[in-house]
C-alpha cells in the first residue's frame, strides 16, 4: 500500500498538533494546515494479526497547496484523539473522498 501511495505522490508524513496538520519534514509550513485546507483522498484499515481489535487506519491526505502525504492512527478507542478530531472536522466540512488517484 505504501509503495502505491508513494508512487502516486503521497510522500509527506503528517502529524496533528493544536488542531492543525503539519508535514513532519517541512519547516516552511510552521503555521500548519486548518481542516478546511485538507482533503482526505482515501483511507485504509489494517487489522492486527493476533487480535482483530488491534486496528489502525492510514489516511491519504492532500492539502490545498498540493502537498500529498499520509497520517495514521489506531482505529477506535485506541485512536489518537487529536488526529481523530482533526480528521472528523475535515469530514464534517463536506470533504468527499476522491479516489481519482487510483
Amino acid at each position: 500500500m505504501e509503495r502505491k501511495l508513494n508512487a502516486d505522490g503521497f510522500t509527506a508524513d503528517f502529524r496533528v498538533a493544536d488542531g492543525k496538520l503539519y508535514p513532519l519534514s517541512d519547516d516552511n509550513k510552521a503555521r500548519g494546515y486548518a481542516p478546511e485546507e485538507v482533503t482526505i483522498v482515501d483511507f485504509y484499515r489494517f487489522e492486527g494479526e493476533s487480535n482483530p481489535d488491534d486496528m489502525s487506519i492510514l489516511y491519504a491526505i492532500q492539502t490545498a497547496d498540493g502537498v500529498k502525504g499520509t497520517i495514521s492512527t489506531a482505529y477506535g478507542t485506541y485512536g489518537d484523539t487529536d488526529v481523530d478530531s482533526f480528521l472528523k472536522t475535515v469530514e464534517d466540512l463536506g470533504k468527499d473522498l476522491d479516489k481519482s488517484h487510483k
Side-chain angles (χ1 to χ4, degrees):
M1 186 56 52
E2 188 174 343
R3 285 186 200 160
K4 167 93 171 98
L5 288 170
N6 283 339
D8 289 343
F10 291 87
T11 56
D13 292 315
F14 291 111
R15 67 179 175 86
V16 173
D18 301 321
K20 295 197 175 186
L21 184 77
Y22 296 89
L24 292 178
S25 61
D26 186 2
D27 295 332
N28 295 328
K29 192 64 177 174
R31 69 169 184 85
Y33 295 98
E36 57 272 7
E37 298 176 288
V38 175
T39 301
I40 299 170
V41 177
D42 210 343
F43 65 92
Y44 307 90
R45 290 186 186 153
F46 301 94
E47 191 173 293
E49 288 184 31
S50 61
N51 184 350
D53 290 335
D54 293 338
M55 293 182 72
S56 62
I57 190 163
L58 176 71
Y59 292 91
I61 302 283
Q62 183 166 350
T63 65
D65 61 358
V67 177
K68 294 164 68 173
T70 59
I71 189 168
S72 63
T73 186
Y75 185 73
T77 58
Y78 299 109
D80 181 316
T81 55
D82 289 340
V83 172
D84 293 345
S85 177
F86 180 87
L87 294 172
K88 174 75 171 125
T89 302
V90 170
E91 291 171 358
D92 288 347
L93 288 170
K95 306 292 187 189
D96 296 322
L97 290 179
D98 174 8
K99 297 187 179 185
S100 62
H101 74 283
K102 289 188 167 186

